[in-house]
Each structure stands twice: as C-alpha cells, then as structure tokens.
Amino acid sequence: MGLIPILAIAAVVIILGGLLYTYLIGRKQRLLDGELDSAVSERVQERPYMRNPIFLVYIVGFLIFLGIVAVMAIVYK
C-alpha cells in the first residue's frame, strides 16, 4: 500500500471525526433546554479559534491535502 491511499484514508477519517464531533456538540446544545447563551469557559475565551473543532478539521485536512500534493509532485515529476 502506497503513501497516497494512507493519506487519503487519514483525511477521510479526520473529516468524518470532525463532523461527528460537531454533530455531538450540536446535539448536546439542543439538550440544554433552549438556553442558547450559556457561559463560555475561560479556556475557550483564551483561544476561541483553536478550540473550535471545525477550524481544526479544516486545518488538518488541508495539511493532509498539501501532503498528498507534495508526494504526487515528487513521485510524478
């Protein structure tokens, strides 16, 4: 098995994991009995972008994509 399929599988797993995590967070928010504006923890206030799972999924997915492009550029000169 080459490097390209492994990177592609890793990208799909990360994207699906991020989507599942986001779905679970949204479901948890619905269970708060309609309380939409709850208190934000201090850890999230310190780094709001790095604590957001969607940003993390996009960043990691993009890095894997760049890895695939780099490998293909090296292999298929």
Side-chain angles (χ1 to χ4, degrees):
M1 185 178 240
L3 186 60
I4 303 289
I6 292 172
L7 290 175
I9 291 170
V12 169
V13 168
I14 290 172
I15 289 170
L16 290 177
L19 289 173
L20 177 66
Y21 184 66
T22 302
Y23 172 76
L24 293 175
I25 288 175
R27 189 168 160 221
K28 183 179 174 184
Q29 286 291 80
R30 255 188 265 137
L31 297 177
L32 291 176
D33 296 328
E35 183 181 335
L36 296 177
D37 292 332
S38 60
V40 178
S41 71
E42 290 183 25
R43 291 177 62 193
V44 174
Q45 288 178 1
E46 290 173 5
R47 295 187 182 108
Y49 298 109
M50 291 308 294
R51 300 285 182 195
N52 190 336
I54 295 298
F55 286 132
L56 295 178
V57 167
Y58 282 139
I59 290 169
V60 171
F62 184 69
L63 290 175
I64 290 174
F65 173 74
L66 286 179
I68 291 172
V69 170
V71 168
M72 291 184 74
I74 291 170
V75 171
Y76 301 109
K77 288 184 181 182

